[in-house]
Amino acid sequence: MESVNLKVSNAPFVRSKDSIESVMYNVAIALAPATVMSVYLFGMKALVLTTVSILSCIAFEWLMDKARNKPNSCLDGSALVTGLLLALNVPANLPLWMVIVGSFIAIVATKHVFGGLGYNVFNPALVARVFLLISFPAAMTSWPMPVPFSLDMMVDMETGASPLGILKTDGVQAALASLSLMDGFYGTMTGSLGETSALALLAGAAWLWYKKYITMYIPLTIIGSVFLFTGLFYLIDPTTYASPVFHMVTGGLILGAFFMATDMVTSPLSIRGQLLFGLGCGLLTAVIRLWGGYPEGISFAILIMNSFVPLIDRWDLNDRKAQQNKKPETK
């Protein structure tokens, strides 16, 4: 009889009642509080930008399915979530054509180039954000000031630096003077649509945790490592480094930790793999924030660690096999 070599991959090998549509639309529900808050803070421009981002992602998904002769998956919720996340990662006054370019990068160049849903190595929305940041730095760092209930699409929003940007260029005192920590928690500050309200993001994350679509291993490890690392340098020199609480409520840390680092496709499978992944994301985020050329580091950190996920999963599987082989045989 001819022998067959079988490739054993990582667990879990489980069946779930949750469909792709169920998971994705629940993620969209979890992002709803942050989306509503962004529209409240930045008005119709935020609503139109979010709508264009979602519709362009769905359109590119449909086009790629047609081009690849695949079943139509544009309404399975994955393109919707990518569009939402992309919108929450850009400023409200970003030109709409740039949003469409970002959708192309997310869906076509990041998702379908690797084979479509479940095969992409990197988080599509984050790749799009970093592409836009590198390609159009002026537009991507022109942060509008919140103007609650603004219904005028033609009004030119007053812009200013983000709290992390002020920290990077003007120092701790100027950054602390630019906002109170409660402003950062509730959302009345400059930044990307999804960076403004930690409270809204935590409410959505609680829904995902309740539905058991995410665990707390990755988010808490990221947030905890950023807190400890920035806190260490704050204790060393509080006149140069901001407090760890400041780092918690500003920038995209909460959005990245709960909604993008936990992506099922681009994060490790095992608990210790997730802890290692989260630790790497947190440390890289803190290093970039403290000494890097960019004020924010969570996007770069997650993408860098995404590239290590296959290696982490392979290491974890091989290590478990080695541990099992070391166990003495029992009679």
Side-chain angles (χ1 to χ4, degrees), residues 26-36 80-81 84-85 88 201 204 255 259:
N26 270 285
V27 174
I29 291 172
L31 289 169
T35 305
V36 171
L80 166 65
V81 169
L84 271 175
L85 286 173
L88 292 173
L201 291 168
L255 177 64
F259 291 96

Side-chain angles (χ1 to χ4, degrees), residues 59-72 108 112:
F60 283 125
E61 184 79 18
W62 181 83
L63 287 172
M64 289 305 297
D65 285 339
K66 285 289 185 181
R68 300 176 61 217
N69 293 319
K70 296 289 184 180
N72 192 319
V108 178
H112 280 276

Side-chain angles (χ1 to χ4, degrees), residues 82-290:
T82 299
L84 271 175
L85 286 173
L86 174 59
L88 292 173
N89 272 280
V90 300
N93 57 353
L94 189 73
L96 296 180
W97 69 268
M98 291 186 187
V99 177
I100 296 173
V101 170
S103 298
F104 174 85
I105 295 298
I107 299 298
V108 178
T110 308
K111 182 179 178 181
H112 280 276
V113 161
F114 287 97
L117 182 64
Y119 295 95
N120 51 288
V121 178
F122 303 99
N123 184 286
L126 279 181
V127 172
R129 182 191 190 278
V130 170
F131 175 87
L132 292 174
L133 180 61
I134 294 173
S135 303
F136 313 107
M140 283 291 289
T141 54
S142 176
W143 309 111
M145 303 295 293
V147 184
F149 293 117
S150 175
L151 300 179
D152 189 352
M153 278 293 295
M154 304 305 294
V155 66
D156 290 329
M157 291 181 169
E158 181 182 355
T159 60
S162 67
L164 286 176
I166 296 173
L167 176 64
K168 180 69 67 175
T169 58
D170 300 328
V172 173
Q173 296 304 319
L176 293 178
S178 67
L179 85 161
S180 70
L181 295 180
M182 293 310 295
D183 287 337
F185 184 73
Y186 289 118
T188 53
M189 63 177 182
T190 57
S192 296
L193 297 185
E195 293 182 357
T196 53
S197 177
L199 177 62
L201 291 168
L202 290 173
W207 173 253
L208 291 182
W209 178 76
Y210 169 75
K211 296 291 290 185
K212 295 183 172 57
Y213 292 141
I214 65 171
T215 64
M216 291 293 110
Y217 298 113
I218 291 175
L220 293 185
T221 306
I222 292 176
I223 294 171
S225 56
V226 171
F227 187 92
L228 292 175
F229 196 76
T230 57
L232 172 63
F233 285 90
Y234 173 72
L235 292 175
I236 293 173
D237 187 0
T239 63
T240 301
Y241 301 101
S243 73
V245 178
F246 180 89
H247 285 280
M248 295 298 102
V249 298
T250 57
L253 181 64
I254 303 297
L255 177 64
F258 284 98
F259 291 96
M260 289 182 283
T262 55
D263 178 20
M264 297 176 184
V265 179
T266 59
S267 60
L269 295 170
S270 68
I271 292 176
R272 63 177 180 174
Q274 292 174 13
L275 293 174
L276 181 60
F277 177 82
L279 179 63
C281 289
L283 292 179
L284 287 171
T285 299
V287 167
I288 295 171
R289 284 189 176 191
L290 295 180

